[in-house]
Amino acid sequence: MDKQQQLTAIYDFTASKLGNDQTGHDMAHIKRVVKMAKQLNQDNLGDPFIIEAAALLHDVIDEKLFTDITAAKASVKDFLTQIAVPAKTQTAIFDIISNMSFAHSLENRPTLSLEGQIVQDADWLDAIGAIGIARAIYYGAKHHEKLYDPAILPRENLTKEQYRNLADETIINHFYEKLFKIKDLLNTAAAKEIATQRQALMRSFVTAVKEEWV
């Protein structure tokens, strides 16, 4: 099995895990992250296989989506071994997908490889802009969050545990607690340039919601 065949198999594996997702972490999201990661790595300084594989797999061990993360990781490891991905490459992939989430950046942000920085940027860019707005509403509605409540202020200096507590969040506050922060946390110059326009769109949206609120 060559690398392209391995990537095709990895895509199918991810589709088997996320194909029915209803939180905005579906295969459309995965495809956009893969496409953006390739764009950010257009100079090919990062390993293309590791980047694409990590982009494909980054949500299959996400604690937002799966309750047994140990079992999820074991499933990925067994699969990658089955399709003959070398152990060193597996380690590089796991180092990325285990440490790239926004929640992990709240306390002692991990240092990522170049490939990890690229995949993280690609994933985080999909959380902002027009798609980001739609995904925030989609995810929040799935978890029965309020759209907005002026009496509930955005939370500051969140721990990972507090960030995961959706009972204390509104969809609009999520923009302040995460989405508006992403631009300044991105790793690559290319991603930061893309984020500037997307950030402006989100701020216009949030301002409009507040102006139109009853």
Side-chain angles (χ1 to χ4, degrees):
M1 184 178 289
D2 62 25
K3 287 186 176 181
Q4 188 53 55
Q5 290 172 321
Q6 288 174 327
L7 288 170
T8 298
I10 292 170
Y11 176 93
D12 292 340
F13 174 85
T14 298
S16 74
K17 304 292 185 181
L18 301 176
N20 296 319
D21 177 82
Q22 296 181 350
T23 70
H25 300 83
D26 53 12
M27 291 308 294
H29 164 65
I30 296 296
K31 290 177 183 177
R32 289 192 300 270
V33 173
V34 170
K35 181 179 179 180
M36 180 58 71
K38 289 180 176 180
Q39 179 181 329
L40 296 176
N41 190 45
Q42 58 187 344
D43 54 10
N44 289 316
L45 292 179
D47 184 298
F49 180 85
I50 291 174
I51 288 171
E52 185 167 351
L56 286 168
L57 292 167
H58 77 276
D59 275 338
V60 300
I61 62 168
D62 191 325
E63 58 196 23
K64 295 192 305 294
L65 309 176
F66 300 94
T67 54
D68 191 338
I69 301 304
T70 299
K73 288 183 176 181
S75 177
V76 174
K77 182 173 179 55
D78 289 346
F79 172 73
L80 293 177
T81 301
Q82 177 185 335
I83 64 171
V85 174
K88 184 177 180 180
T89 303
Q90 289 189 38
T91 298
I93 293 169
F94 269 102
D95 185 61
I96 295 170
I97 66 177
S98 298
N99 294 293
M100 60 175 275
S101 74
F102 181 80
H104 282 100
S105 73
L106 294 173
E107 304 172 74
N108 301 315
R109 183 177 181 179
T111 300
L112 296 173
S113 63
L114 172 61
E115 291 81 6
Q117 292 176 34
I118 288 170
V119 177
Q120 184 180 65
D121 281 1
D123 181 43
W124 288 10
L125 281 172
D126 205 57
I128 62 177
I131 290 293
I133 292 169
R135 290 182 67 216
I137 297 171
Y138 192 55
Y139 184 85
K142 177 68 175 177
H143 291 276
H144 309 291
E145 291 184 37
K146 291 182 178 181
L147 174 60
Y148 179 50
D149 183 341
I152 301 176
L153 299 178
R155 299 167 296 171
E156 299 290 341
N157 303 315
L158 296 175
T159 64
K160 181 180 176 182
E161 183 179 0
Q162 290 169 332
Y163 171 73
R164 291 295 192 205
N165 184 3
L166 300 183
D168 294 333
E169 183 181 68
T170 69
I171 293 173
I172 291 301
N173 280 357
H174 183 64
F175 285 82
Y176 294 94
E177 294 171 0
K178 175 184 177 180
L179 305 187
F180 289 156
K181 297 178 179 180
I182 284 178
K183 180 175 73 70
D184 293 331
L185 294 173
L186 294 170
N187 304 288
T188 64
K192 290 178 181 179
E193 183 175 350
I194 294 169
T196 299
Q197 182 177 0
R198 296 188 181 189
Q199 173 99 324
L201 177 62
M202 291 193 302
R203 288 199 177 277
S204 294
F205 168 76
V206 169
T207 297
V209 168
K210 290 183 173 183
E211 288 176 350
E212 296 172 18
W213 198 255
V214 176

